[in-house]
Amino acid sequence: MKLTKAQIQYIDDYLKRKGIQYWDVRIEMVDHLVSDIENYSGAADFETLFQRSLKNTNWDGNLETVHIQSWKYTNMMYRKMHFQEILKCLKNPKYLIGFAMLYLMFYWVAFKFPEALKTVAFIVFALPMVVMLIELIKSLIKKLGKSVNMQYGFFYFSFGIIMLNLPIQFLPKAYSHIWLPIVMTIFLVVMFAGYKVYCFALNRVLKMKVAMS
């Protein structure tokens, strides 16, 4: 049987009531249930087939466990992607040369103009956060909703800030001219990789939105 838009919306509302908070997780579950129902060759009404499909997928009870598993799986996927993007930066000669030049520039500033090092560091750490804020505003304007892909896209975009916050507080200030150029370079590598992960997440969500329309 071919499901109507109202019936598909009914399935989506059911999953939402049962604890699937992220719409991009629900859409994949809805697609699975719709396919199972529409591929049934026997004669039965929608409600009967819907309950049958829920039992087939073990989604007929509380779906909190499914919700937790979905964001854990998504986190694992994006964490692996972020690590791979960092490796790509380190293996790609073009990126490697670019980051090496940035380090040499920071090193030069640290020894030639030590009084300007903190200003340079502030700009380096602040600029990606400004970009991230702009992207957050753009996502709100686009009304992307509560998306697990966007959540982890933003998380790994900001991962460099989280990762380096603690070391910066404890590293000796007297030797900042030595360790700060290294920290800034690592920060830019991690943030650049995080930005690429974020772009992947954004494109994935936008494609889902187009498919829904």
Side-chain angles (χ1 to χ4, degrees):
M1 65 178 294
K2 184 71 175 176
L3 297 188
T4 65
K5 287 186 177 181
Q7 289 170 331
I8 294 172
Q9 185 61 51
Y10 176 86
I11 296 173
D12 184 72
D13 292 340
Y14 170 87
L15 296 175
K16 189 174 183 179
R17 288 197 309 271
K18 291 295 183 176
I20 306 300
Q21 300 175 15
Y22 301 110
W23 67 264
D24 44 354
V25 175
R26 290 201 309 274
I27 192 174
E28 293 181 356
M29 295 175 69
V30 168
D31 284 344
H32 184 82
L33 290 168
V34 168
S35 296
D36 188 61
I37 293 171
E38 291 186 340
N39 289 334
Y40 183 71
S41 57
D45 61 89
F46 165 71
E47 186 60 36
T48 300
L49 292 178
F50 178 46
Q51 294 301 324
R52 171 185 169 276
S53 293
L54 289 174
K55 289 179 181 178
N56 289 343
T57 53
N58 292 320
W59 293 344
D60 53 335
N62 189 299
L63 297 179
E64 185 64 27
T65 301
V66 178
H67 171 70
I68 293 171
Q69 288 175 343
S70 68
W71 60 254
K72 282 185 176 180
Y73 170 78
T74 306
N75 180 33
M76 182 174 63
M77 180 186 74
Y78 281 108
R79 182 171 63 242
K80 181 179 178 181
M81 189 185 304
H82 188 234
F83 179 71
Q84 289 173 338
E85 289 296 340
I86 292 174
L87 289 181
K88 286 180 184 178
C89 290
L90 299 177
K91 290 180 179 179
N92 189 314
K94 181 176 66 175
Y95 292 148
L96 197 57
I97 291 171
F99 286 118
M101 290 179 66
L102 283 170
Y103 167 74
L104 291 174
M105 183 188 73
F106 298 146
Y107 182 85
W108 178 76
V109 170
F111 281 89
K112 290 290 185 179
F113 307 99
E115 69 283 353
L117 184 59
K118 287 185 178 180
T119 302
V120 173
F122 175 79
I123 294 171
V124 168
F125 292 133
L127 190 58
M129 288 189 277
V130 172
V131 174
M132 188 167 58
L133 179 60
I134 292 171
E135 290 295 332
L136 178 60
I137 293 171
K138 285 165 62 177
S139 71
L140 292 174
I141 293 172
K142 291 177 182 177
K143 297 180 180 179
L144 297 180
K146 192 170 184 179
S147 160
V148 68
N149 286 281
M150 291 302 296
Q151 176 176 301
Y152 284 111
F154 276 116
F155 175 79
Y156 285 102
F157 190 2
S158 63
F159 188 72
I161 302 169
I162 300 167
M163 184 182 76
L164 296 176
N165 184 47
L166 193 61
I168 287 175
Q169 293 180 28
F170 288 98
L171 286 169
K173 300 291 187 294
Y175 298 100
S176 61
H177 61 290
I178 297 174
W179 58 259
L180 199 50
I182 298 172
V183 170
M184 285 191 289
T185 306
I186 294 173
F187 172 78
L188 290 176
V189 171
V190 175
M191 288 297 293
F192 180 69
Y195 179 70
K196 294 187 76 174
V197 170
Y198 164 77
C199 289
F200 173 86
L202 177 62
N203 289 332
R204 189 179 190 191
V205 166
L206 291 176
K207 286 179 182 177
M208 286 184 178
K209 283 287 188 181
V210 170
M212 290 171 62
S213 60

